[in-house]
Amino acid sequence: MENSITLVEIILRLFLSVMIAGVIGFDREHKNRPAGIKTHALVCAGACLIALLQKQIGFDALQLAILRPELSGILRADEARLIAQVVSGIGFLGAGTILVNHRVVLGLTTAASLWAVAGIGLSFGMGYYNIGLVGALFVILVLVFSKKIIRVNTIKKLEIKYKHKFETKEFIQKYFENKGIIVSDVNFKVTQDADKIIYVNVYEIEIPRDLNYASIIEDISMNKNIMCIQMISI
């Protein structure tokens, strides 16, 4: 009867945890996200270690119950206890990767990937290789290929501050028409600053699949009358 985890198994499970988490972390680091290869590898290896520890505790309890049957009624070795602490505790680390800047939330995907690699590490640590490998495959597919397969044209708000109302407004409208940008709503505001009249338009836009918001901002900002342009979260 198996009563402990062999050294070879420990090395194999930790190796798989670090390698696969490193691949996931590479994607995050390549995209300049807060947590990269080292963070993902450490989270996955740490989760694997805790799962290995929990597994060994179970073996030790079983061995003690065999050696001393009178204790079998009071011995407890719940394999889900430490794992539950990992699942809840990883949330604190994930929260540290989430940034909120001007109502724009960044880092949610990285936080989710950290939570996912913790699950992968737990799978390998407990010896469920099939679950860990299949889970890792799906996590990598989501991170690397989801944007290439599925693209959602989200509605965004574009705030433009400019001067020379008629000339600039005509330029913006022509740009939207030429690029196939759909304007579903627009709000106007006029302010006065140092004897200058500043016009502020907030456009609610929907862009074609082959266009990105960075290009729109760069193109429009090239106009000499544009004073400020930025995306606003709805």
Side-chain angles (χ1 to χ4, degrees):
M1 180 184 292
E2 185 181 17
N3 56 12
S4 67
I5 306 173
T6 65
L7 180 60
V8 174
E9 276 289 309
I10 293 171
I11 294 172
L12 175 62
R13 295 180 190 187
L14 285 170
F15 176 78
L16 285 173
S17 298
V18 171
M19 286 288 87
I20 291 178
V23 173
I24 296 170
F26 174 82
D27 173 80
R28 298 288 85 202
E29 193 162 315
H30 176 68
K31 294 175 181 175
N32 197 28
R33 296 300 186 259
I37 295 173
K38 288 188 290 186
T39 304
H40 281 77
L42 286 172
V43 167
C44 198
C48 180
L49 282 171
I50 292 171
L52 286 167
L53 178 62
Q54 181 66 80
K55 200 76 173 176
Q56 189 61 50
I57 290 172
F59 286 136
D60 290 346
L62 180 61
Q63 186 71 13
L64 185 59
I66 294 171
L67 294 174
R68 299 186 61 183
E70 70 275 10
L71 298 178
S72 60
I74 59 174
L75 285 174
R76 294 290 182 270
D78 185 1
E79 290 199 345
R81 186 172 297 174
L82 280 177
I83 291 174
Q85 300 306 312
V86 173
V87 174
S88 59
I90 197 65
F92 291 98
L93 184 60
T97 68
I98 300 173
L99 306 173
V100 181
N101 185 22
H102 299 294
R103 293 184 296 176
V104 177
V105 181
L106 303 171
L108 283 174
T109 303
T110 302
S113 67
L114 287 172
W115 186 69
V117 296
I120 294 168
L122 289 171
S123 300
F124 288 140
M126 296 296 291
Y128 302 125
Y129 298 109
N130 54 345
I131 296 175
L133 289 170
V134 174
L137 175 63
F138 276 90
V139 170
I140 293 170
L141 286 174
V142 169
L143 287 174
V144 178
F145 298 108
S146 60
K147 280 192 175 181
K148 297 178 181 178
I149 299 173
I150 303 170
R151 177 163 179 183
V152 179
N153 291 331
T154 56
I155 295 175
K156 295 279 188 178
K157 285 189 176 181
L158 184 66
E159 182 184 76
I160 305 176
K161 294 182 182 180
Y162 60 93
K163 55 186 179 180
H164 303 309
K165 177 180 178 181
F166 297 106
E167 175 187 343
T168 313
K169 189 176 177 182
E170 184 180 0
F171 161 77
I172 295 170
Q173 289 175 341
K174 283 186 177 179
Y175 178 82
F176 286 161
E177 289 174 5
N178 292 336
K179 295 294 184 179
I181 298 171
I182 299 172
V183 179
S184 56
D185 191 22
V186 58
N187 293 313
F188 304 95
K189 185 171 69 174
V190 181
T191 60
Q192 193 159 351
D193 180 31
D195 299 328
K196 290 190 300 184
I197 297 177
I198 300 173
Y199 302 94
V200 181
N201 290 6
V202 179
Y203 295 93
E204 193 171 290
I205 61 174
E206 194 172 342
I207 69 172
R209 289 177 59 90
D210 58 345
L211 197 62
N212 59 66
Y213 294 103
S215 299
I216 296 171
I217 292 174
E218 184 178 358
D219 292 343
I220 295 177
S221 65
M222 297 296 288
N223 187 285
K224 62 182 180 180
N225 295 328
I226 302 297
M227 302 177 69
C228 178
I229 178 170
Q230 62 180 345
M231 299 302 305
I232 301 175
S233 294
I234 296 177

